[in-house]
């Protein structure tokens, strides 16, 4: 697997993703139940009640995050549109990222949408929809770090990641488990970087930009670590829903809805 691509990130792109974050029109629902809510609603109930239960991990701006008690973000809004198209009411479950696939596989949730990268390994467990976005694994370092390119990372580097993400998986493969410290979410990894407990954080580029904007003294390396596709995962037993999601995504792509949602959160310069 060729993961390391010396791809230059246009840092100019890092401009405000906060610009569009206050949107109130999303069908995001309340986040009162956030943080591992142990709700009774399962995918089995949802067919009866016409809900579409989406599992996510809302610590991942601009794709999913909680603001003012509501779920916001690119995934949240796209999911709202998909639910509308297939005539179901979107219900969001905020869970730990590394429990998403198991929950979708077992039928607890109808779908998982969380800036989730399509990987061959995950495809063994779940089906993925068509992709609706691309991501890049980026490296965040403190300003003035001796790590100036991806090539400076080694098994001696202390690398922070969000547990169970591709950043975690790739870094562990490339540099060994001992080099990698797993955190519950990206924000915790970044706090640890600021505190000097790790030397860098490997995380998806858009969350990286948002964390760097929200904190002083951090830089994203110009070279990225891996390139990826994001898609929605669905149980292998639910081909019907997969088809409906792909049809909805196709329409939302061709009528420009997805582009405009993405533009609302990510300013293209
Ligand atoms: N793209 C990465 C992956 O699929 C990270 C996704 C993390 N998403 C989240 N909502 N926390 O592994």
């Amino acid at each position: 697997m060729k993961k390391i691509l010396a791809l230059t990130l246009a840092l100019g792109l890092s401009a405000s993703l906060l610009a569009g974050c206050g949107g109130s029109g999303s069908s995001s629902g309340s986040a009162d139940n956030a943080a591992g809510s142990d709700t009774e609603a399962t995918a089995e109930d949802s067919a009866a009640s016409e809900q579409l239960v989406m599992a996510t991990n809302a610590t991942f701006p601009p794709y999913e995050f909680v603001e003012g008690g509501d779920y916001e973000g690119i995934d949240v809004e796209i999911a709202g549109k998909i639910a509308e198209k297939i005539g179901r009411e979107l219900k969001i479950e905020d869970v730990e990222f590394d429990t998403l696939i198991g929950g979708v596989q077992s039928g607890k949730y109808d779908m998982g949408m969380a800036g989730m990268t399509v990987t061959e390994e995950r495809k063994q467990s779940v089906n993925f929809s068509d992709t609706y976005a691309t991501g890049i694994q980026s490296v965040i370092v403190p300003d003035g770090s001796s790590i100036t390119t991806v090539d400076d990372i080694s098994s001696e580097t202390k690398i922070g990641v969000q547990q169970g993400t591709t950043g975690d998986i790739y870094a562990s493969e490339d540099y060994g488990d001992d080099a990698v410290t797993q955190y519950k979410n990206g924000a915790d990894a970044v706090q640890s970087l600021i505190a000097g407990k790790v030397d860098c954080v490997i995380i998806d580029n858009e969350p990286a930009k948002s964390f760097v904007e929200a904190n002083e003294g951090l830089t994203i390396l110009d070279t990225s670590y891996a390139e990826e596709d994001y898609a929605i995962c669905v149980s292998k037993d639910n081909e019907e829903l997969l088809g409906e999601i792909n049809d909805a995504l196709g329409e939302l792509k061709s009528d420009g809805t997805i582009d405009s949602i993405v533009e609302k959160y990510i300013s293209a310069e």
Side-chain angles (χ1 to χ4, degrees):
M1 198 187 326
K2 179 87 183 98
K3 293 190 295 282
I4 299 180
L5 304 170
L7 197 145
T8 302
L9 268 184
L11 286 178
L13 279 178
S14 70
S16 172
L17 54 84
L18 295 174
C21 286
S24 54
S26 78
S27 54
S28 53
S30 151
D32 288 348
N33 265 343
S37 69
D38 189 14
T39 166
E40 300 308 312
T42 64
E44 276 144 41
D45 301 335
S46 74
S49 56
E50 296 298 330
Q51 281 185 336
L52 178 66
V53 181
M54 157 181 164
T56 194
N57 172 251
T59 64
F60 202 66
Y63 293 96
E64 46 266 330
F65 53 96
V66 177
E67 192 164 271
D70 285 329
Y71 293 113
E72 301 273 351
I74 294 170
D75 287 348
V76 171
E77 293 205 24
I78 294 175
K81 296 287 182 195
I82 291 172
E84 217 172 278
K85 286 210 179 274
I86 64 183
R88 286 161 73 170
E89 185 206 334
L90 182 66
K91 165 135 173 68
I92 296 177
E93 295 288 343
D94 191 11
V95 304
E96 300 300 338
F97 183 76
D98 59 0
T99 67
L100 265 166
I101 290 188
V104 168
Q105 201 178 9
S106 72
K108 191 169 180 194
Y109 318 118
D110 295 308
M111 65 180 202
M113 190 173 189
M116 186 179 284
T117 304
V118 180
T119 71
E120 287 309 314
E121 201 188 333
R122 290 173 179 169
K123 278 193 199 165
Q124 311 289 309
S125 312
V126 285
N127 282 337
F128 280 99
S129 70
D130 298 334
T131 71
Y132 62 89
T134 53
I136 294 172
Q137 291 298 312
S138 295
V139 182
I140 311 176
V141 294
D143 290 346
S145 168
S146 60
I147 300 169
T148 58
T149 80
V150 166
D151 296 334
D152 295 329
I153 303 175
S154 73
S155 58
E156 305 298 307
T157 310
K158 292 190 202 119
I159 305 163
V161 296
Q162 179 180 17
Q163 189 166 318
T165 60
T166 46
D168 179 9
I169 297 161
Y170 300 160
S172 305
E173 276 171 16
D174 289 348
Y175 307 110
D177 290 345
D178 289 350
V180 177
T181 308
Q182 300 169 314
Y183 294 90
K184 256 177 85 160
N185 58 59
D188 288 352
V190 168
Q191 285 315 311
S192 185
L193 179 67
I194 292 167
K197 291 184 197 147
V198 292
D199 305 317
C200 67
V201 167
I202 298 181
I203 192 164
D204 304 51
N205 57 326
E206 291 301 334
K209 288 178 199 168
S210 110
F211 292 132
V212 165
E213 258 170 44
N215 296 280
E216 297 271 294
L218 300 177
T219 306
I220 300 172
L221 296 188
D222 287 350
T223 49
S224 64
Y225 182 54
E227 272 192 340
E228 333 190 290
D229 290 322
Y230 292 167
I232 299 169
C233 70
V234 176
S235 159
K236 287 193 188 267
D237 297 331
N238 204 346
E239 293 280 350
E240 191 186 338
L241 179 62
L242 187 69
E244 289 177 321
I245 290 174
N246 279 334
D247 289 347
L249 278 175
E251 292 172 23
L252 295 168
K253 279 182 201 167
S254 55
D255 72 6
T257 304
I258 291 188
D259 282 345
S260 68
I261 292 172
V262 170
E263 267 162 37
K264 177 174 159 188
Y265 290 92
I266 302 174
S267 63
E269 258 167 51

